[in-house]
Amino acid sequence: MDMLNQILSINNGGAYGGGKAGGAFDPLTFAMKPQVVIRALCWLFSVVVFGCISSEGWTEKDGKEYCLYNGDGMACKYGNMVGVFGFLASMGFMGGEFLFERMSSVKSRKRYVMADMGFSAGWTFMYFVAFLYLWSQWSSSPPPPLGIGAGSMKTAIWFCLFSIVSWALCALMAYKRFLIGAGDEFTSAFETDPANVVHQQAYGYSMDNDNEQYSASPFGQPQQGGMEQQQSGMEYQQPTY
């Protein structure tokens, strides 16, 4: 649990959990970022999935191509599709992480985080379907001739399972980034709202002061002056005849 919290700890002081725009680029620091590490794992797992299916997932039977997943060609095609697009998306998002630190616009960072969160969640589901689909077809398929390709088919299924975890972590990190950015936007909007500024000036306090030190009541002095005037006006004056 502590390791997961450390992975998800991504607040670097900038908007949406990123660093300050325009800062110096450190390749080692970039490579050790949790987002980059998990994306690299997604990339590796995707290579294994479509590599295993493409290389040994098909064989010839009666002069036709035969998918080792119980002869279901759609199972092989679906596994390849999920792996290939996962491979391309992982490279794209790693490039996006490089550009993320250089985005000076908060709106651009927000769009990137939302795209990351949506795609990662969607591809977690796609890999979940792939795992169930391939596992179901493999469990009911006959053994391949001489056992050729059996190991690769099992490996593809296992790495679909690993990909579910890695893509889910990417979605969680993007979601935490989104919450950080949404909180910053709310705080900034509240502090810069003209109505709130007027209230702060009228009642003599500031949101930036943690102790909220209040000034003297604005009604104290006028009330005392008014009472003195009333008392002086009510003094008895002797009538003249």
Side-chain angles (χ1 to χ4, degrees):
M1 191 65 181
D2 293 338
M3 183 178 296
L4 180 60
N5 291 333
Q6 187 176 3
I7 291 175
L8 295 178
S9 179
I10 56 177
N11 192 357
N12 295 325
Y16 286 91
K20 301 293 184 180
F25 176 70
D26 184 2
L28 182 60
T29 303
F30 175 77
M32 295 299 293
K33 286 180 61 178
Q35 293 87 348
V36 177
V37 173
I38 301 299
R39 287 293 178 196
L41 291 178
C42 292
W43 178 85
L44 177 62
F45 296 162
S46 298
V47 170
V48 173
V49 170
F50 80 78
C52 289
I53 297 176
S54 299
S55 61
E56 295 186 340
W58 298 90
T59 186
E60 286 191 4
K61 186 175 182 180
D62 299 331
K64 297 181 179 180
E65 287 188 338
Y66 179 83
C67 176
L68 294 184
Y69 288 114
N70 200 27
D72 187 355
M74 284 300 300
C76 288
K77 292 178 181 178
Y78 183 80
N80 270 333
M81 183 270 296
V82 173
V84 169
F85 280 98
F87 165 79
L88 296 175
S90 298
M91 291 196 303
F93 281 113
M94 281 192 286
E97 287 297 327
F98 174 78
L99 297 175
F100 186 77
E101 304 293 339
R102 287 154 180 77
M103 294 179 185
S104 58
S105 173
V106 177
K107 291 184 178 180
S108 298
R109 288 193 175 192
K110 182 179 181 180
R111 294 190 189 100
Y112 174 81
V113 170
M114 292 182 67
D116 184 5
M117 181 172 57
F119 188 91
S120 298
W123 227 246
T124 301
F125 176 75
M126 295 289 283
Y127 265 113
F128 178 73
V129 173
F131 171 74
L132 294 180
Y133 191 11
L134 299 182
W135 176 77
S136 175
Q137 293 299 96
W138 178 251
S139 62
S140 59
S141 63
L146 303 177
I148 299 175
S152 295
M153 300 301 97
K154 294 178 182 178
T155 301
I157 295 173
W158 276 107
F159 275 86
C160 282
L161 180 61
F162 299 154
S163 295
I164 295 172
V165 178
S166 62
W167 282 96
L169 283 176
C170 290
L172 283 175
M173 288 188 291
Y175 178 67
K176 186 170 183 180
R177 269 181 168 177
F178 181 78
L179 291 181
I180 292 172
D184 292 342
E185 285 184 356
F186 176 80
T187 302
S188 177
F190 182 83
E191 292 180 349
T192 57
D193 189 349
N196 294 324
V197 173
V198 171
H199 281 78
Q200 292 174 21
Q201 295 175 350
Y203 291 100
Y205 70 92
S206 173
M207 293 300 294
D208 296 331
N209 191 346
D210 294 334
N211 297 324
E212 293 188 359
Q213 296 178 351
Y214 290 82
S215 64
S217 173
F219 304 104
Q221 296 298 330
Q223 287 181 353
Q224 293 177 0
M227 292 295 294
E228 292 176 356
Q229 292 178 1
Q230 290 179 4
Q231 290 178 0
S232 61
M234 294 175 62
E235 291 180 356
Y236 177 77
Q237 296 181 358
Q238 184 177 0
T240 57
Y241 297 94

